[in-house]
Amino acid sequence: MYKKKKFVPAANELLFSGRELLSVILPVLVLFLLVLPWWHASWETIELPENFRLPYVNRDNYYLYSRCAALETARSRYLFIGDSAIWGMYAGNSGTIPAQLNRLLKEKCCGNLAIDGLHPVAMRTLVRSFGDAIRGRTVLLYFNPLWVNSPKYDLSASEPFTVNHPELLPQFGAIACYQAGFDKKVGILLDRYVRFFGWKKHLQNYFYRNEDFKSFLVKDHFADPFAPIRRHIVPEEKEHKGTEKNYLTRGIPIQHWEWVPLEKSRQWQALLDTAAILRSRGNQVLVMVGTINPGLLDAETLAGLKKLRLQAADDLKRKGIEAVMFPELEAEFYADASHLLESGYARIAEFLLKEKIIRNGSTAL
Amino acid sequence: MLFSTWSFLFFFLIFAAGYSLFRRRPTGRLIWLLAGSYFFYGFMDVRFLLPLMVTTVTDFIAGKGIERGKHPKLFLALSLTVDLGILCTFKYLNFFTENLQSLIDAVGWEWELPSSELLLPVGISFYTFQSLSYTLGVYWKKNRAEHNLLRYAAFVAMFPQILAGPIERAANMLPQLRHTPLIRRVEINDGISLFIVGLFKKAVMADMLAVYVNQVYGDLNAYSSLSVFLAAFFYSWQIYFDFSGYSDMARGVARVLGFRLMLNFDNPYTSVDIRDFWRKWHISLSSWFKDHVYIPMGGGRCVKYRVWWNVMVTMVVSGFWHGAAWNFIIWGALNGIGSILSPRSDRDSWYGKVPRLLRQLMTFLFITVTWVFFKKSTVPEALEVLRRSISFQGGINLIPVVPLILVLIIWVWQLLYDSSYRRFLSLRPVRLGALALILFLLFALSGGSHEQFIYFQF
């Protein structure tokens, strides 16, 4: 018969009793999950530039966003939240709507808390989970009709689709087009709700070129692993310098879109939810109903857009949310379908002042 | 489903809850274990279950047939044919057809052989060998036939070890499946300890070294000789951390469930000669080949040249088990030659007088050279790695200090464990300090890029 060999549990002296495991695991857990993130948050100082907007390279660093949002809330009465149309995809730091308003008003009263690619479903999670510090202010939420131009962008289609900010989607909800694996979804939820993971991602994103630490230790071989970490950081957008080129130079063809009815739209509902969350935190909310480059839409789509915007304003009014319709600007103010050039932003800023949406020295709408 | 994923954690929590309910009900326990194992295995691709089930049922019938004693050879042949037939179809068919095609092309005939599009089921080599060891064991009267299909199926498919071993023996596992598993605090503590160490080996060490190895091997000409040498050095450790990490986690999971899986790695890089290495590396496979190939051929109890032949055949077959490619065969052959030609500490008295550390370093160096053939898919590529690593050529000098220090610390730990200073490692502050460092590195360095377990491809 088979000669039974003696069972060897391990060959390294690394078997521990329950007490030993607890005596090491618990302090390590406390250190990493509680002490380090909180200590670092108080150690790291963030200086917001005057015309702050979350840098493009940090657009999915929501930990940084939450800390910047707190600082911006502390110094600005009006906070703009939206996608790249507000963030200023084709504008320099001083050319965005909040920056132009500050210049016109000769005071720092408007803050740009928009993020590139932030559709309303993502905005809802961003505000709920990372915008807790936004309280007692006037928040101007931007509704970009682009997000309801098709079931695909509305996230109501079932075909797989690479969604912007997947980390801000409901991970186990009914968004059929978002098809990440179970492990990725759990990882995203941990990043969102466990401060340590969000903080770790912040360090990787801000100081380690988005590389994971293992890669950094290998590729920056002689470097002190902690050397890239700086105490004082100034998150400043450096890539986007603005442009004078309008959409005509880009050769974008005329578009035909089938607008998703607002009553069935996932994105629209998410925008309403976002407004409700912000209001529950003592903010005054005003939704800016955006528009699309008229030069890029066929007549039918343009007519549908007008109807959609009116419907949006009506819906907001019914729900007691203040709304403002962005003026329809001529095509030459656009860089593409929904992004304005700096000259377009100037028009919008003037409009907001003229309509007394933004007022000097006042906190009220 | 990988051990280092959230899916596994959720699966295991649900499985363990059910398992504790059924623990004292033998049939319920086996059904739960089998269902959990099939779910775990089928999670990757449900089609993988079919060859597993065919192997299981065939060997179950064959085992009983052999024990009944009327036509034992016939039933053994059935088991061998079905098991190896399935293995060859999925794993080796393309290798044979490609080589045959090359031969046909060389002769000048205009025949186009079809190639197989079959997906290789993960872990097929592992469970096939585990199941085969059972029928061979019954035939050689090393173990009795199992008469409960549920129990036999649970033995073949047991989820902690189905994907990458350890390749367990029926004589060790079937008795454990017959009795109510003993789950005390010590089992749970040992299981957690093993899992933490295994996870550290895989998620921190193996994945970190993989970054370096892939980078340097990906563009060999850009790097200096020192970097290429270091890549070979790191690959030796990467494959060790990767595979032994998986084994540790598998053993840890099994231990929490009350099962004792065999030790699969016994600090192989402390070996003093090549044979010693093969007693410490992938022990479950090495001992399988020893029990089922080497000894039946005559083992070491033959004339010298016959022993050499036995060693070579065993090592080449072992290489071929790892993969259907020539580089694995050459890797096996090199190890065979190494085993035959290299001096042995237990036989050659002069070699025993060489300082132990020097013998360990020389053995490691030889094994590192053989791993180059394992890693690179062709002989010229492997030779190019070796040439560059000793040619003192310039290029990018990439010397990752932190990974290097970590590897050296672990190597020193293993060398101490293998020496008379072992008691130093058993001191509580040392052990707890090591655990703290492991957890620190797990928190700081795990996540991000994940490499597939290397041995899953086998």
Side-chain angles (χ1 to χ4, degrees), chain A residues 29 36 38-39 44 90 103 139-140 159 164 169 177 186 211 228 260 272 277 305 312 322 324 326 333 348 353 356-357:
Chain A
L29 280 178
L36 277 179
W38 262 265
W39 168 79
E44 182 183 60
Y90 295 100
R103 195 165 55 244
V139 179
L140 294 99
E159 295 82 35
N164 288 321
L169 295 179
C177 62
V186 174
E211 278 188 293
V260 176
L272 296 176
I277 295 166
L305 174 66
E322 295 210 42
V324 57
F326 264 25
F333 289 106
I348 299 291
L353 283 179
K356 300 197 168 149
I357 305 296

Side-chain angles (χ1 to χ4, degrees), chain B residues 396-416:
Chain B
I396 302 168
N397 234 353
L398 191 63
I399 302 163
V401 175
V402 176
L404 188 59
I405 290 171
L406 287 174
V407 168
L408 292 178
I409 289 173
I410 292 164
W411 204 2
V412 169
W413 182 284
Q414 296 187 345
L415 291 168
L416 288 174

Side-chain angles (χ1 to χ4, degrees), chain A residues 3-21:
Chain A
K3 192 181 166 191
K4 201 171 177 182
K5 289 181 181 132
K6 191 180 169 235
F7 174 67
V8 183
N12 50 22
E13 297 289 355
L14 291 175
L15 292 177
F16 304 95
S17 67
R19 194 171 292 177
E20 286 174 333
L21 284 169

Side-chain angles (χ1 to χ4, degrees), chain B residues 130-357:
Chain B
Q130 178 154 316
S131 198
L132 259 183
S133 83
Y134 161 78
T135 43
L136 287 167
V138 177
Y139 183 77
W140 285 325
K141 296 187 172 30
K142 286 183 176 177
N143 52 266
R144 292 208 172 89
E146 175 58 54
H147 293 270
N148 182 332
L149 179 59
L150 264 180
R151 188 175 294 124
Y152 185 71
F155 157 67
V156 178
M158 210 161 97
F159 75 87
Q161 37 88 275
I162 187 171
L163 295 181
I167 302 166
E168 272 298 344
R169 302 294 191 278
N172 179 36
M173 283 312 296
L174 285 173
Q176 293 191 57
L177 285 162
R178 276 188 201 108
H179 302 114
T180 304
L182 193 62
I183 307 175
R184 299 160 302 178
R185 276 188 195 166
V186 67
E187 274 78 25
I188 293 170
N189 294 337
D190 283 0
I192 294 171
S193 305
L194 283 165
F195 196 89
I196 289 173
V197 172
L199 188 63
F200 164 73
K201 284 180 179 175
K202 166 62 187 160
V204 175
M205 296 307 298
D207 285 354
M208 182 162 61
L209 298 181
V211 176
Y212 185 87
V213 173
N214 293 342
Q215 188 169 329
V216 175
Y217 276 8
D219 189 6
L220 214 55
N221 292 326
Y223 291 91
S224 68
S225 293
L226 184 60
S227 299
V228 176
F229 176 81
L230 209 53
F233 171 81
F234 276 163
Y235 184 68
S236 296
W237 283 96
Q238 183 201 338
I239 196 167
Y240 164 74
F241 287 130
D242 190 283
F243 193 19
S244 76
Y246 184 88
S247 287
D248 286 345
M249 286 190 274
R251 297 181 74 235
V253 170
R255 192 100 168 96
V256 170
L257 300 175
F259 297 108
R260 295 176 160 203
L261 301 186
M262 66 194 293
L263 187 73
N264 216 13
F265 291 85
D266 188 9
N267 301 321
Y269 294 147
T270 63
S271 307
V272 288
D273 57 52
I274 310 301
R275 284 189 180 229
D276 189 30
F277 174 80
W278 282 104
R279 278 190 291 268
K280 293 178 169 184
W281 177 271
H282 199 177
I283 297 167
S284 64
L285 181 74
S286 309
S287 57
W288 195 99
F289 275 110
K290 185 183 162 197
D291 293 345
H292 300 93
V293 179
Y294 180 69
I295 290 176
M297 287 172 75
R301 295 178 181 177
C302 316
V303 292
K304 192 160 71 175
Y305 299 109
R306 176 70 196 189
V307 174
W308 289 0
W309 169 252
N310 294 346
V311 171
M312 278 307 287
V313 169
T314 306
M315 295 310 292
V316 168
V317 174
S318 166
F320 199 45
W321 176 92
H322 282 82
W326 283 104
N327 62 310
F328 294 115
I329 295 173
I330 290 163
W331 170 77
L334 282 174
N335 274 286
I337 294 166
S339 299
I340 293 165
L341 297 184
S342 73
R344 284 167 56 180
S345 298
D346 59 350
R347 187 189 60 190
D348 305 311
S349 57
W350 67 269
Y351 188 63
K353 287 172 190 159
V354 175
R356 186 175 176 79
L357 188 61

Side-chain angles (χ1 to χ4, degrees), chain A residues 36-37 39-41 43-44 58 61 63-64 67 196-213 216 226 228-230 233, chain B residues 444:
Chain A
L36 277 179
W39 168 79
H40 185 260
W43 180 79
E44 182 183 60
N58 307 124
N61 185 342
Y63 172 90
L64 179 66
R67 296 196 59 203
F196 164 75
F197 294 104
W199 168 65
K200 187 175 167 184
K201 206 174 162 191
H202 159 62
L203 295 180
Q204 284 177 225
N205 169 261
Y206 203 87
F207 302 110
Y208 295 89
R209 304 184 301 263
N210 268 336
E211 278 188 293
D212 68 63
F213 296 124
F216 177 82
F226 299 108
I229 297 176
R230 298 187 307 279
I233 63 171

Side-chain angles (χ1 to χ4, degrees), chain B residues 51-122:
Chain B
L52 172 68
M53 287 173 175
V54 172
T55 300
T56 303
V57 172
T58 306
D59 288 344
F60 177 73
I61 294 168
K64 293 216 297 183
I66 293 166
E67 194 172 70
R68 209 173 290 136
K70 280 192 178 173
H71 305 287
K73 281 190 177 165
L74 192 69
F75 281 104
L76 181 66
L78 171 76
S79 169
L80 288 169
T81 308
V82 172
D83 289 2
L84 297 179
I86 290 174
L87 186 63
C88 286
T89 306
F90 282 99
K91 191 168 174 176
Y92 298 106
L93 194 60
N94 273 343
F95 174 78
F96 289 124
T97 50
E98 278 166 21
N99 281 284
L100 198 59
Q101 185 70 56
S102 303
L103 207 63
I104 290 168
D105 293 345
V107 172
W109 292 343
E110 291 190 355
W111 279 0
E112 194 71 40
L113 295 175
S115 64
S116 162
E117 300 288 325
L118 287 170
L119 194 63
L120 178 68
V122 180

Side-chain angles (χ1 to χ4, degrees), chain A residues 2 8-9 15 183 200 214, chain B residues 6-7 142 251 431 443 447:
Chain A
Y2 178 83
V8 183
L15 292 177
D183 292 304
K200 187 175 167 184
K214 291 187 290 253
Chain B
W6 296 110
S7 329
K142 286 183 176 177
R251 297 181 74 235
R431 292 166 56 249
F443 267 96

Side-chain angles (χ1 to χ4, degrees), chain A residues 249-307:
Chain A
T249 60
R250 295 170 199 274
I252 308 170
I254 297 292
Q255 308 280 312
H256 174 80
W257 294 337
E258 297 288 339
W259 301 101
V260 176
L262 290 186
E263 64 274 13
K264 291 180 183 170
S265 165
R266 187 188 293 278
Q267 297 282 21
W268 179 248
Q269 185 54 49
L271 187 98
L272 296 176
D273 294 345
T274 310
I277 295 166
L278 286 165
R279 288 170 91 180
S280 72
R281 290 175 181 164
N283 297 292
Q284 284 184 288
V285 177
L286 183 139
V287 174
M288 303 180 290
V289 181
T291 186
I292 301 287
N293 181 355
L296 270 179
L297 303 181
D298 64 16
E300 195 187 337
T301 309
L302 204 53
L305 174 66
K306 281 182 181 161
K307 204 172 140 194

